[in-house]
């Protein structure tokens, strides 16, 4: 079952709350990223939980294993349901994060960031191969290190699911049309195509938050999700 996550990329709690209220009951998840978390602190997570949302805390942690372990523990205490760390931090860092999750009954899932969807081919420093190959390599690590899921573009989901079906795929860079303005996102995909390929979570920001009617925009995305699930027979 694929689920919609609205990215609340605002710098004040008031703006985030207003948008969340507009899509309440239509969108099950909200994403709290660096901009909002740094501005408002961990109490913002509790507020959204009290509103009935599940919270994806997108901090993309990357540090020495012990520091990441402590940060994951703090994220759990905030009430987050899902947290991101960078897979490029390596096995020891990732396993330290998963260890914290397991100590709390895995009630907060740990997802590994592969290659940011803002990267196009040839833009990753020091890497000249195909981005899909790099994502696949990192996905193998995620599967071996006990991660619950991986953050990847819709273009890489099918390969990941074939290689490691236990990994959930969380997909940013979602746009309502394939030829939509991508802003700083480079590897984009429609909700329908992403779910058809196997995405489990769709992270959508501006197509909802900048829409004249955010609720209607979210409902349109949910309709594409349901259409794709029906096509898959899910």
């Amino acid at each position: 079952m694929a689920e919609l996550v609205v990215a609340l990329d605002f710098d004040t709690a008031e703006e985030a709350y207003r948008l969340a209220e507009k899509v309440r009951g239509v969108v099950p998840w909200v994403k709290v990223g660096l901009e909002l978390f740094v501005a408002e602190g961990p109490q913002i997570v509790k507020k959204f939980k009290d509103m009935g949302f599940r919270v994806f805390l997108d901090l993309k942690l990357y540090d020495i294993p012990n520091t990441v372990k402590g940060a994951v523990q703090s994220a759990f205490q905030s009430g987050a349901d899902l947290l991101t760390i960078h897979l490029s931090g390596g096995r020891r860092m990732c396993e330290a994060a998963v260890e914290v999750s397991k100590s709390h009954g895995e009630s907060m899932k740990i997802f590994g960031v592969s290659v940011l969807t803002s990267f196009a081919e040839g833009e990753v420093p020091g890497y000249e191969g195909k981005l899909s190959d790099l994502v696949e390599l990192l996905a193998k690590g995620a599967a071996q290190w006990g991660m619950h899921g991986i953050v990847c573009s819709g273009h890489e989901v099918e390969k990941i699911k074939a290689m490691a079906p236990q990994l959930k795929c969380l997909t940013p860079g979602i746009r309502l049309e394939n030829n939509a303005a991508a802003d700083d996102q480079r590897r984009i995909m429609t909700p329908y195509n992403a779910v058809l390929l196997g995405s489990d979570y769709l992270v959508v920001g501006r197509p909802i938050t900048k829409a004249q009617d955010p609720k209607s925009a979210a409902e349109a995305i949910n309709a594409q999700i349901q259409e794709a699930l029906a096509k898959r027979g899910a």
Side-chain angles (χ1 to χ4, degrees):
M1 179 65 183
E3 297 184 80
L4 177 57
V5 184
V6 62
L8 299 177
D9 294 325
F10 299 103
D11 57 11
T12 68
E14 290 73 22
E15 291 176 287
Y17 296 153
R18 281 198 299 270
L19 193 287
E21 194 60 53
K22 290 177 182 177
V23 299
R24 197 174 182 180
V26 176
V27 179
W29 287 80
V30 295
K31 186 198 88 167
V32 174
L34 286 170
E35 183 178 13
L36 186 57
F37 189 80
V38 171
E40 300 292 342
Q43 67 273 6
I44 193 85
V45 175
K46 183 179 186 304
K47 173 65 176 178
F48 289 127
K49 295 288 288 185
D50 290 344
M51 292 175 72
F53 290 100
R54 301 195 76 190
V55 179
F56 162 31
L57 190 54
D58 189 23
L59 299 185
K60 299 182 178 73
L61 300 175
Y62 185 106
D63 212 313
I64 63 172
N66 193 58
T67 297
V68 167
K69 185 175 182 178
V72 173
Q73 176 63 35
S74 296
F76 170 79
Q77 291 171 346
S78 77
D81 298 284
L82 194 158
L83 175 71
T84 51
I85 67 175
H86 267 289
L87 289 170
S88 54
R91 177 183 59 81
R92 289 189 301 117
M93 190 198 85
C94 291
E95 288 181 345
V98 171
E99 181 184 336
V100 176
S101 175
K102 287 181 176 178
S103 73
H104 296 291
E106 299 183 281
S107 57
M108 182 180 75
K109 309 299 184 187
I110 309 295
F111 276 45
V113 176
S114 58
V115 177
L116 299 177
T117 49
S118 57
F119 279 117
E121 297 289 349
E123 292 186 344
V124 176
Y127 180 76
E128 298 179 357
K130 289 184 178 180
L131 288 182
S132 60
D133 291 341
L134 179 56
V135 172
E136 187 175 355
L137 177 65
L138 291 168
K140 286 179 181 177
Q144 292 168 0
W145 305 331
M147 306 292 288
H148 298 101
I150 186 169
V151 182
C152 62
S153 85
H155 300 279
E156 293 110 25
V157 170
E158 194 169 26
K159 271 185 137 181
I160 291 170
K161 287 291 187 176
M163 179 188 66
Q166 76 274 24
L167 288 177
K168 298 292 185 181
C169 289
L170 185 150
T171 304
I174 297 296
R175 297 293 182 263
L176 284 170
E177 301 293 338
N178 279 322
N179 59 353
D183 304 295
D184 55 339
Q185 300 283 20
R186 311 296 279 281
R187 302 187 336 273
I188 65 171
M189 187 169 284
T190 65
Y192 177 83
N193 287 333
V195 174
L196 200 60
L197 290 169
S199 291
D200 300 287
Y201 300 94
L202 304 186
V203 182
V204 183
R206 286 159 286 197
I208 293 176
T209 62
K210 300 297 184 183
Q212 189 170 6
D213 184 347
K215 181 179 179 181
S216 293
E219 288 173 337
I221 292 169
N222 278 333
Q224 286 199 32
I225 290 173
Q226 293 307 314
E227 185 183 358
L229 287 173
K231 180 76 170 177
R232 276 172 47 189

